[in-house]
Amino acid sequence: MTSRRAVVVALATGLALAAVLAPTASDRTEPAVSRLELGPGLDPAAFARATAVQEYHLPADHGPHLEFQTEWWYYTGNLTASDGRRFGFQLTFFRRGLAPGEPSDGLGLTTHQVYFAHLAITDVAARSHVFAERWSRGAGGLAGARGTPFAVWLEGWRVESRRADGSAVRLVARDGPLLLDLELEARKPLVRHGEQGLSPKSDEPGNASHYIGYTRLSARGRLAASSGAEPVSGDAWFDHEWSTSALGAGAVGWDWFSLQLQDGRELMYFQIRREDGGVEAVSGGTLVDAAGDTRRLPADAVSLTVLDRWTSPQTGATYPSRWRLRVPGEDLDLLVAPWIPAQEMRTSFVYWEGAVRVSGTRAGRPLEGHGYVELTGYARSMQGVF
Amino acid sequence: MSRNPIIRLDRVSKDYTEGAETRRVLHEASASFAEGEVVAIQGRSGSGKSTLLNLVAGIDSPTTGEVWVAGTCINRLSPADRTLFRRDHLGFVFQFFNLIPTLRVLENVQLPAELRGRSPGEAAERARTLLGEVGLAGRESSFPDRLSGGEQQRVAIARALVQDPRILLADEPTGNLDDITGEGVMDLLERLTRGAGRTLVLVTHSLQVASRADRVHTIEDGRVVPLPGPRGRTELTQVPP
Amino acid sequence: MTRSLLLTGLRDLVRRPLHSGLMVLGVALGVAVVVAIDLANTSALRGFARSTEAITGRATHQVVGGPSGLAQDVLRRIRIEGGLRASAPVVEGYVTALDLDRQPLRVLGLDVLSEGPFRAHLGGRSLADPGFERLFVDEAAVFVGAALADRYGLSLGRPLRVRVQDRVETLTVRGIIRSADAREAASLDGLLFMDVGRAQRLLKMGDRITRVDLVASDDEAERIAALLPAGVRLVSAREQAETVAQLTEAFQLNLTALSLLALVVGMFLIYNTVMFSVVQRRAVLGTLRLLGVTGEQVFALVLLETATASALGVLLGVGLGWVLGQEAVRLVTRTINDLYYVLSVTGAPLTAASVGKGVALGLGAGVLAAVAPALEAARVEPVEALRPSRLESRARRVVPGVALGGALLAVAGGILMMLAGRSLALSFAGLFAIVLGLALVAPLATVASMAVAGPIGGRLVGTLGRLAARTVTRSVSRTGVAIAALAVAVSVTIGVGLMIESFRSTVENWLDLSLRADVFISAPSPGGTRRTPVVSPDIPQRVVAVPGVEDVETFRRVRVASPLGEVQLAVADPRRPRSAAFYRFAEGEPDEVWERVRAGAVLVSEPFAFRHRLPEAGGTVQLQTDRGLRSFPVAGVFYDYATESGLVLLSSNVYERFWDDRAISSLGVYVAPGHAIEEVVADLRAALAGTALQVTPNRALRAGALEVFDRTFAVTQALRLLAVIVAFIGVWSALMALQVERTRELATLEVLGLGPRQMWGLTLLETGLMGTVAGLLALPLGWLLAVILVTVINVRSFGWTMRLEADPWLFVQALAVSVVAAALASVYPLIRLRRRSLAAALRSE
């Protein structure tokens, strides 16, 4: 071995040794997943459950019910612009309680309530559906709800009362190009769904929610889907539900229909689907006549047939996409079809919520209408979420 | 032996071990040298003559046997005591002069006296005297590297004599000098030893140098034997009438 | 270079293990110290960077307020009025974990719902994950990083007792973050994550938060800045971190400089050993030249031999340095914790950079030190094989030139220091040049002093005395270098020792002046001077009620922002003016100055004035108050040694005018005459039982402060000692070499009658002379070093004025060390000599 080679070998050995002595991986970044170890959760038994019929006092009961775990204020509507173009909108504020009530002193940012909200606008002519989601804690003025006067807010999105009893409100929400600024006025008195507001969701007592709302409100204001805001007007629907783990065991989701018919009546119908493919017996709905009187519809009074399906290219979930809904007792035979099929909400939990057109007959005479349909549990089971 | 032996080797053996091999240089050698004698030990390099000298000087110890110098068995002394003995009784002259290069000529000569305990002043005095005797008066403050080989050896002789030893040992005193200078050094040595009643044991490879001694020995088979043939003045003077 | 030639060199190394061992040792020690200090510095820097990352996350900007934080409503403004959604509230504070070795931990209160854009490891969790809600709902829930949890065996549900401000609280571990990314995992160490609201409660912040993190473009940031109320500002996240990093710069630079010194002394050692081997092998080298080996090849051979030994030394040194580094990390971290900010550094992994530094410096130093001997070897003439000549005469001729060169170097170093201005690196370079330059004068000094010592020795001891002196002079190329090394090491001991002594006594005097109350009450700080905890507002009344208490003074220490960066503010009770000895440049009498302070002026500490180049008179300081940016005139500069970053002193009435913060940091209690301080202390402790407040009498506080001081210099003292050890080894090796060279001479002397005691005496005389020269050289050099350290280096590092105190005992000690070190160094060579056969010695070359 020549001396030069000896030197090279020595250097190489030295470097190798140095490398062995220097075990550092500190500056290598690998794509890594963090795990968060958590202990057991809190017992939901601390929350109140919807078990009994009660009276609702407005506007207080428009506000939040902090002793219950889950709550939402749900606004949807079908609007038209001055040139007849159709739009659909959804603005829902959700409240999730981590523990009942609020922490003892009101100071600081401590809270037991987490709020999140969904905004979606469907532009039928452009065949577009844009949605946005926001989260915030219920403290520091960032998010919250109040009964007297009625208001719900999450950062800049808000519902403000226009009337003391909360039957007229203003909705404001903005996100990127999306804008919603509507004045809503209830056309009929408050509707109490289910058994005077107590809407069971499964056979077991306690698996129920308090469910009230306005089934028809006039809407007027401005809306923007992608470009500038334009004046719109139309009909809106308001639901307010609160509960604690409403779904029974084995339930995976629900299909929910809110239809506003030309003859001045509204129909609300939901069915809760089970794992085994069946439907909960407590499924049912409400029919509201032109004067505002309500009639409860049990599940066997309504027949619902799925006519078409649509698969989401983004999530792969397959949703029913056209229905035939018949209420024989009312002589109603309706065809419900989404204005556009792709109205999937890919938010923290995935569901389908879309504006639909209604066409059909009542006692043989043609009847038109519009509304909103909500389909949950198709991408993932809703157990534990609500 | 007409005079008392001042140096006596009694069946002395000396082995050298190098690794696994052992070499016997001296084998039951015996010899005795009388006081006032000039004895030469002549031989080739490696014959053991320097070994013999070292044993007499106490620089080395025999493997077996006894070495008697001036009535003391020196191989029984500890190295420290041997040094002291040497200091008091022996003078040594080396082949390579072995002067201390950082000491001046005078300092070189007076050092052994100081080592024995004399005050520096006294030692310097004595050294000056001796330097005069060896013919180097006036060179006291020079450093050794300024002197020629012969001059250096003369300083060494002066140094060896500063303690007034009874015995002078010389290891190849002319080995590093040319013939003429060597002759001069030998003249000096003879004058200062035989002429002063001191014993001189010198080791040399030169027959010419050896012939100036009273008796000449050599080492054969590890023994000290007289050199064959008439050598040495004593023998030479013992010419039969 | 041929194989056989290389082999001669390498076999020579193997055949002389002691000599090669010394070379290896020299490099190893130098490298070990450099690596250890580098490790400590790097780990500290990393720990700091990580903790900053963890705290700051990916925020680009931060909205901050004054000492009392900002109102949480600012967040609403930013998010709703400003429309900036990437905004997150943060609450920060410190606690001491009583069950975890009293480790200081940083509480980071976050809103997980906002944290998506900021922190990967917390965002993206679903509230559907059971157990997560506990972070919001539980009174005292915390999440911790896996490293911390594993180290202390913290499991879910485990209670964690901490001291917060002046009380003890119990927190509960409700989540453990296991990060797969090592870097991220390390950044979580030392942190306790809480819900922002719960953190507000824990730190008693009411409805205020520490800051709002933002991810914003510069335009957005500008828009947001316009929305902010008075007293609240927008800053770039990077700026904040940089300010804190600068604090420890000077400290760490000082440490690095000292470590390099150890390496330099190691180089002396190598020079000595290589030179000796060259001298010893002169005949062999001459023979090689005779056979046709060129001078360049001989040069390369010597360097290669040294490089091989150095390489071994580097390996050993890196390993040793890693071991030492662990301890050094601990010491440095502790000092930083004590003096600057809370730092969590766990373990010092050996980085490629530290190893690389060690290798480069070790090999470089070794080869550099061997250049001169290698040149000497290359100059060996073939004739030397036949007749060995004297190397030393050549060396002797060079000595005056070297001394001149050294003197010039020292002068150059002095000029460099004068011109360096504030640059610390240049100042150190100048200092090194001075020390090295004066060290180069050592050989000349040796020759000169031996010329004097010789005759004196001769008169006292005779020829042996003269021999001893001349022996030292003869081998001046080795003895001179050894003396230089020893002189430098001892002078460093003197210089650094004097500096520390002076510093300490200055601090002691200053403590006398500044700590005037009899008893101090405070909540113990988890660490560092960055955050001062808060005393509940009801405490002063409780204290006043204790019998024997004549008066109570309240103090406040906060950090406020200013255009100059973050400034530490001390809020003092205006009723008690200070003595004149407290000020450096006061305009007027102390009473006048204090009047001005009461009226709205401020006092600044020396380091502050130095760092920000305030003019001697008439300067102003701008500070961010809760009412916006304000300008305060400076009424004087005072001495302060507690913080090197500088302090601004303000009267409390002025503070209350411009800031809303009314909290108290600590209290000073004055005991009425006629009451025993110990009794009052006991009564106070009883009155304050149940809180976590500490009651400390003046004397104990002073002792505590000095303890911190001593701890801070522990590393420095260790390095000092190391330098002496390395120098000692250098002297020892030089002596070994010398004795071996003089074998024949010493044998001759023994033949001439030099007895064992006389041999000892001669050797001890020689080494004693060497040690004395080294010691005498070290005295003025050490003094000069101390002067430079005190008047230049410290001033340029920290801005402090210190009184240089000369402790004569220190000088005596140093001289003794020098002589004793040299004498001790002769023991082993002598013992070895005794064992050698005299006959063989006589014959050796």
Side-chain angles (χ1 to χ4, degrees):
Chain A
M1 203 200 302
T2 65
S3 54
R4 205 170 301 155
R5 249 203 277 166
V7 170
V8 168
V9 167
L11 273 172
T13 320
L15 283 171
L17 272 165
V20 163
L21 283 173
T24 65
S26 50
D27 296 322
R28 275 189 281 137
T29 43
E30 308 154 313
V33 176
S34 305
R35 247 188 338 115
L36 181 60
E37 261 179 46
L38 294 168
L42 291 170
D43 187 5
F47 287 102
R49 300 182 87 96
T51 48
V53 169
Q54 63 181 68
E55 260 193 64
Y56 300 106
H57 304 282
L58 303 179
D61 277 310
H62 279 314
H65 300 81
L66 300 184
E67 61 278 20
F68 288 84
Q69 192 180 39
T70 308
E71 188 159 11
W72 61 78
W73 297 262
Y74 171 84
Y75 291 90
T76 55
N78 280 266
L79 307 168
T80 47
S82 41
D83 58 3
R85 276 176 301 122
R86 291 182 186 279
F87 296 89
F89 81 88
Q90 179 219 355
L91 179 62
T92 310
F93 291 84
F94 299 86
R95 177 189 66 79
R96 177 75 171 181
L98 304 172
E102 275 295 6
S104 34
D105 60 59
L107 272 187
L109 294 169
T110 50
T111 184
H112 289 164
Q113 311 301 328
V114 172
Y115 288 82
F116 59 104
H118 292 171
L119 170 68
I121 291 182
T122 304
D123 183 340
V124 178
R127 302 191 73 77
S128 78
H129 171 253
V130 188
F131 58 89
E133 181 182 35
R134 293 194 173 182
W135 286 74
S136 196
R137 61 170 57 215
L142 296 170
R146 196 181 47 222
T148 316
F150 170 50
V152 186
W153 64 95
L154 194 153
E155 293 174 10
W157 297 359
R158 57 188 190 276
V159 178
E160 296 165 353
S161 284
R162 287 307 203 199
R163 246 181 249 154
D165 64 355
S167 57
V169 294
R170 180 179 173 206
L171 300 184
V172 179
R174 191 193 297 261
D175 188 276
L178 294 180
L179 168 68
L180 197 69
D181 190 351
L182 300 174
E183 300 277 350
L184 302 185
E185 231 182 283
R187 288 283 173 237
K188 297 184 183 176
L190 191 76
V191 170
R192 285 164 261 262
H193 299 276
E195 197 190 324
Q196 296 173 65
L198 183 69
S199 171
K201 297 298 193 287
S202 93
D203 292 325
E204 279 182 50
N207 281 355
S209 64
H210 289 283
Y211 185 359
I212 59 177
Y214 295 111
T215 52
R216 196 184 286 258
L217 305 110
S218 66
R220 183 181 302 278
R222 294 180 316 140
L223 175 149
S226 50
S227 45
E230 47 191 320
V232 289
S233 63
D235 295 317
W237 182 293
F238 170 56
D239 269 357
H240 180 189
E241 258 192 270
W242 60 96
S243 65
T244 297
S245 61
L247 287 183
V252 294
W254 61 81
D255 305 334
W256 173 92
F257 296 79
S258 63
L259 308 175
Q260 292 163 326
L261 306 171
Q262 251 179 350
D263 62 0
R265 296 197 298 175
E266 298 91 43
L267 174 68
M268 185 285 287
Y269 179 69
F270 69 89
Q271 58 178 28
I272 296 177
R273 302 185 320 280
R274 284 211 308 263
E275 271 179 326
D276 57 16
V279 161
E280 294 278 19
V282 296
S283 305
T286 312
L287 190 64
V288 182
D289 71 12
D293 296 319
T294 62
R295 208 181 89 201
R296 192 172 175 189
L297 294 172
D300 54 15
V302 178
S303 131
L304 189 65
T305 322
V306 175
L307 300 177
D308 205 352
R309 293 194 188 274
W310 173 79
T311 305
S312 159
Q314 287 92 352
T315 63
T318 302
Y319 300 93
S321 197
R322 212 151 44 102
W323 304 261
R324 186 168 176 203
L325 193 153
R326 281 178 299 147
V327 187
E330 292 293 322
D331 241 333
L332 275 174
D333 189 345
L334 304 171
L335 196 65
V336 180
W339 287 105
I340 57 174
Q343 295 185 72
E344 189 184 33
M345 299 288 289
R346 290 177 292 279
T347 47
S348 307
F349 57 94
V350 177
Y351 64 107
W352 194 98
E353 179 103 29
V356 298
R357 90 184 279 183
V358 181
S359 57
T361 62
R362 181 192 177 189
R365 285 200 301 280
L367 191 57
E368 302 275 308
H370 51 221
Y372 252 78
V373 170
E374 179 178 288
L375 309 166
T376 69
Y378 288 92
R380 213 196 81 163
S381 166
M382 291 300 276
Q383 272 295 338
V385 180
F386 280 109
Chain B
M1 231 3 82
S2 50
R3 288 173 238 172
N4 293 330
I6 194 166
I7 295 170
R8 192 160 62 85
L9 282 94
D10 198 359
R11 283 190 308 249
V12 165
S13 298
K14 180 67 186 169
D15 296 331
Y16 284 112
T17 314
E18 276 166 48
E21 281 183 37
T22 308
R23 201 162 54 89
R24 181 152 272 210
V25 174
L26 294 174
H27 180 71
E28 308 259 320
S30 296
S32 57
F33 309 126
E35 188 161 12
E37 266 197 291
V38 174
V39 177
I41 304 181
Q42 190 267 346
R44 298 184 319 275
S45 321
S47 53
K49 52 194 200 302
S50 291
T51 306
L52 192 77
L53 204 67
N54 286 348
L55 288 174
V56 172
I59 292 170
D60 213 342
S61 284
T63 313
T64 61
E66 291 177 345
V67 178
W68 292 82
V69 175
T72 311
C73 179
I74 62 169
N75 58 286
R76 286 207 213 113
L77 297 174
S78 70
D81 287 337
R82 258 184 269 147
T83 303
L84 296 178
F85 183 86
R86 192 164 49 240
R87 189 183 70 185
D88 295 340
H89 294 96
L90 298 173
F92 211 101
V93 176
F94 303 82
Q95 175 179 7
F96 290 106
F97 327 135
N98 286 30
L99 294 180
I100 309 290
T102 44
L103 292 177
R104 301 177 201 276
V105 162
L106 184 69
E107 292 163 344
N108 261 292
V109 176
Q110 80 189 65
L111 182 60
E114 281 187 38
L115 289 178
R116 198 182 176 182
R118 286 221 205 171
S119 80
E122 277 182 46
E125 266 308 304
R126 175 115 181 92
R128 244 180 276 270
T129 314
L130 276 167
L131 278 172
E133 284 191 46
V134 304
L136 285 175
R139 305 300 300 276
E140 289 97 350
S141 42
S142 305
F143 280 99
D145 57 2
R146 294 255 171 245
L147 273 56
S148 71
E151 288 169 331
Q152 287 191 49
Q153 195 61 298
R154 281 194 267 165
V155 173
I157 293 170
R159 177 179 71 178
L161 292 174
V162 75
Q163 286 279 68
D164 199 15
R166 290 170 73 183
I167 304 164
L168 199 65
L169 305 172
D171 190 351
E172 302 272 9
T174 57
N176 239 28
L177 304 168
D178 60 84
D179 290 339
I180 298 180
T181 319
E183 289 283 313
V185 165
M186 282 312 299
D187 289 336
L188 187 61
L189 267 178
E190 276 191 83
R191 178 163 58 86
L192 292 174
T193 54
R194 196 192 285 116
R198 293 191 179 104
T199 316
L200 170 65
V201 179
L202 77 95
V203 158
T204 181
H205 64 269
S206 155
L207 283 167
Q208 185 186 0
V209 168
S211 65
R212 300 178 71 139
D214 295 331
R215 287 193 291 143
V216 181
H217 293 285
T218 188
I219 299 186
E220 214 168 285
D221 296 330
R223 287 195 162 72
V224 180
V225 297
L227 199 63
R231 303 277 182 224
R233 281 149 97 250
T234 317
E235 288 150 346
L236 287 170
T237 52
Q238 280 177 352
V239 168
Chain C
M1 181 161 316
T2 65
R3 183 173 170 272
S4 356
L5 194 58
L6 195 60
L7 271 179
T8 57
L10 294 178
R11 283 223 189 100
D12 193 67
L13 278 181
V14 171
R15 212 177 294 150
R16 284 193 286 184
L18 187 63
H19 158 263
S20 317
L22 280 176
M23 272 206 278
V24 169
L25 191 64
V27 172
L29 279 176
V31 168
V33 173
V34 167
V35 167
I37 295 294
D38 189 60
L39 262 186
N41 277 345
T42 314
S43 300
L45 275 174
R46 260 164 174 237
F48 171 72
R50 293 241 172 86
S51 69
T52 315
E53 256 174 50
I55 305 305
T56 322
R58 284 180 236 142
T60 58
H61 297 80
Q62 292 174 335
V63 174
V64 294
S68 51
L70 48 138
Q72 73 193 25
D73 190 63
V74 174
L75 174 66
R76 193 192 54 79
R77 271 208 219 188
I78 292 172
R79 210 184 271 186
I80 299 181
E81 287 173 38
L84 185 62
R85 303 209 55 231
S87 49
V90 178
V91 167
E92 256 187 79
Y94 285 94
V95 298
T96 309
L98 294 174
D99 301 328
L100 310 180
D101 296 336
R102 306 187 94 81
Q103 192 187 353
L105 294 174
R106 202 166 196 160
V107 168
L108 203 56
L110 302 173
D111 174 24
V112 283
L113 299 172
S114 311
E115 282 295 326
F118 297 92
R119 275 164 248 275
H121 44 264
L122 283 182
R125 305 296 303 189
S126 161
L127 285 178
D129 288 339
F132 199 84
E133 72 277 8
R134 284 194 184 267
L135 192 67
F136 289 81
V137 171
D138 274 4
E139 265 296 319
V142 293
F143 284 8
V144 297
L148 187 69
D150 293 339
R151 205 180 325 134
Y152 292 105
L154 301 175
S155 51
L156 295 169
R158 153 84 192 262
L160 192 62
R161 273 190 330 136
V162 296
R163 183 160 57 209
V164 183
Q165 295 164 357
D166 57 354
R167 35 184 229 287
V168 176
E169 303 270 359
T170 305
L171 307 174
T172 319
V173 177
R174 289 293 180 201
I176 299 176
I177 306 171
R178 295 203 178 276
S179 186
D181 181 56
R183 196 186 169 112
E184 187 185 73
S187 72
L188 299 177
D189 209 356
L191 291 179
L192 289 179
F193 289 98
M194 289 185 86
D195 177 62
V196 62
R198 296 287 167 201
Q200 277 174 315
R201 292 262 190 105
L202 184 71
L203 298 167
K204 291 223 187 307
M205 288 181 72
D207 64 351
R208 298 179 83 76
I209 55 179
T210 308
R211 63 171 196 269
V212 178
D213 281 350
L214 306 176
V215 172
S217 68
D218 288 326
D219 289 334
E220 285 173 319
E222 259 186 66
R223 194 167 44 84
I224 298 294
L227 287 174
L228 301 175
V232 176
R233 324 166 322 273
L234 187 88
V235 293
S236 130
R238 213 176 359 104
E239 263 172 46
Q240 294 281 73
E242 273 171 9
T243 326
V244 184
Q246 273 166 14
L247 283 183
T248 49
E249 231 178 79
F251 171 68
Q252 291 179 314
L253 190 61
N254 269 306
L255 278 184
T256 311
L258 276 171
S259 77
L260 285 177
L261 182 71
L263 189 68
V264 167
V265 184
M267 279 173 69
F268 269 136
L269 184 60
I270 295 166
Y271 169 84
N272 258 334
T273 26
V274 179
M275 187 58 117
F276 167 61
S277 107
V278 166
V279 165
Q280 260 218 323
R281 291 185 291 162
R282 239 177 307 130
V284 172
L285 293 172
T287 310
L288 285 176
R289 299 278 275 120
L290 209 56
L291 294 175
V293 176
T294 66
E296 290 85 24
Q297 285 176 312
V298 171
F299 180 79
L301 177 66
V302 173
L303 284 186
L304 252 168
E305 285 173 12
T306 315
T308 312
S310 299
L312 277 172
V314 160
L315 272 180
L316 186 63
V318 164
L320 191 62
W322 183 76
V323 171
L324 285 178
Q326 306 303 314
E327 183 61 18
V329 164
R330 205 179 58 80
L331 285 174
V332 168
T333 310
R334 193 173 57 171
T335 304
I336 294 182
N337 264 324
D338 283 342
L339 301 182
Y340 301 106
Y341 44 77
V342 176
L343 187 63
S344 174
V345 176
T346 45
L350 202 57
T351 65
S354 288
V355 171
K357 241 182 257 191
V359 168
L361 280 173
L363 283 178
V367 169
L368 190 66
V371 164
L375 279 175
E376 191 52 50
R379 274 191 245 127
V380 167
E381 298 295 323
V383 77
E384 309 242 1
L386 312 168
R387 179 182 45 82
S389 76
R390 290 281 113 192
L391 150 78
E392 290 297 339
S393 51
R394 198 177 345 193
R396 206 107 58 92
R397 268 181 271 134
V398 158
V399 160
V402 164
L404 183 63
L408 285 175
L409 183 62
V411 169
I415 294 175
L416 182 62
M417 279 196 73
M418 281 196 285
L419 293 178
R422 277 155 183 266
S423 162
L424 204 54
L426 282 182
S427 304
F428 268 119
L431 182 63
F432 269 172
I434 291 177
V435 170
L436 275 174
L438 289 177
L440 288 175
V441 175
L444 184 63
T446 307
V447 171
S449 39
M450 288 303 111
V452 169
I456 297 178
R459 210 154 302 180
L460 290 176
V461 184
T463 307
L464 280 182
R466 256 172 271 147
L467 179 61
R470 289 196 209 140
T471 306
V472 173
T473 311
R474 176 182 65 171
S475 314
V476 73
S477 80
R478 257 74 51 63
T479 54
V481 171
I483 288 173
L486 192 58
V488 166
V490 173
S491 71
V492 164
T493 308
I494 295 175
V496 172
L498 278 181
M499 191 254 317
I500 294 177
E501 277 305 312
S502 307
F503 200 171
R504 198 173 199 279
S505 87
T506 309
V507 168
E508 264 186 297
N509 287 336
W510 168 78
L511 282 173
D512 281 334
L513 281 178
S514 56
L515 296 180
R516 285 146 347 124
D518 298 312
V519 183
F520 292 93
I521 299 175
S522 64
S525 164
T529 52
R530 288 219 75 222
R531 302 258 174 217
T532 48
V534 156
V535 172
S536 306
D538 64 314
I539 299 293
Q541 294 127 287
R542 284 162 74 175
V543 168
V544 166
V546 170
V549 169
E550 185 178 59
D551 199 2
V552 174
E553 222 181 342
T554 58
F555 304 115
R556 180 83 180 115
R557 276 281 188 110
V558 290
R559 292 193 93 87
V560 298
S562 87
L564 302 170
E566 223 180 23
V567 167
Q568 250 206 88
L569 201 64
V571 181
D573 197 315
R575 293 172 297 156
R576 292 176 187 274
R578 310 265 162 156
S579 74
F582 211 57
Y583 301 124
R584 201 166 145 182
F585 314 104
E587 295 170 319
E589 295 299 310
D591 288 336
E592 283 175 37
V593 171
W594 212 252
E595 269 313 306
R596 294 188 58 203
V597 170
R598 263 186 279 244
V602 297
L603 298 175
V604 299
S605 72
E606 259 196 316
F608 187 92
F610 168 75
R611 199 178 266 252
H612 303 292
R613 299 168 212 257
L614 289 184
E616 282 194 17
T620 58
V621 172
Q622 284 190 310
L623 300 171
Q624 281 285 356
T625 72
D626 285 341
R627 318 262 175 274
L629 193 65
R630 292 257 187 246
S631 208
F632 297 86
V634 175
V637 177
F638 63 98
Y639 295 109
D640 178 64
Y641 299 99
T643 54
E644 64 185 58
S645 54
L647 195 62
V648 173
L649 192 117
L650 191 48
S651 170
S652 59
N653 56 314
V654 178
Y655 184 69
E656 284 171 18
R657 210 188 318 152
F658 292 103
W659 282 272
D660 297 321
D661 167 44
R662 296 284 174 269
I664 305 168
S665 300
S666 59
L667 301 160
V669 176
Y670 291 85
V671 172
H675 288 254
I677 295 188
E678 295 75 31
E679 278 180 38
V680 176
V681 167
D683 289 339
L684 281 169
R685 290 206 176 117
L688 297 172
T691 66
L693 290 171
Q694 269 184 352
V695 178
T696 321
N698 185 310
R699 215 163 1 114
L701 195 66
R702 284 186 64 219
L706 288 174
E707 207 187 286
V708 170
F709 180 94
D710 289 335
R711 275 215 302 252
T712 308
F713 284 100
V715 182
T716 316
Q717 302 277 31
L719 286 177
R720 227 173 113 196
L721 185 63
L722 203 66
V724 174
I725 291 177
V726 178
F728 173 81
I729 296 178
V731 172
W732 182 62
S733 81
L735 290 174
M736 285 285 297
L738 282 176
Q739 303 297 44
V740 171
E741 260 188 37
R742 295 169 64 203
T743 307
R744 194 153 69 100
E745 183 180 302
L746 289 173
T748 307
L749 285 173
E750 203 179 330
V751 169
L752 292 178
L754 187 74
R757 249 195 304 165
Q758 288 162 323
M759 182 77 83
W760 274 86
L762 177 63
T763 312
L764 281 176
L765 188 59
E766 285 163 7
T767 60
L769 282 172
M770 285 173 64
T772 310
V773 173
L776 289 175
L777 278 177
L779 295 181
L781 190 57
W783 172 252
L784 182 62
L785 201 60
V787 168
I788 293 175
L789 281 174
V790 166
T791 59
V792 179
I793 300 288
N794 255 303
V795 171
R796 289 185 192 170
S797 299
F798 311 112
W800 282 318
T801 306
M802 288 190 290
R803 226 184 23 237
L804 183 61
E805 298 214 336
D807 182 7
W809 178 233
L810 204 65
F811 287 103
V812 170
Q813 256 186 337
L815 192 56
V817 164
S818 188
V819 172
V820 167
L824 275 179
S826 67
V827 168
Y828 184 66
L830 259 182
I831 293 175
R832 259 192 59 171
L833 207 59
R834 300 290 315 148
R835 288 206 223 111
R836 201 190 284 263
S837 139
L838 191 50
L842 271 179
R843 217 161 274 116
S844 73
E845 267 297 337

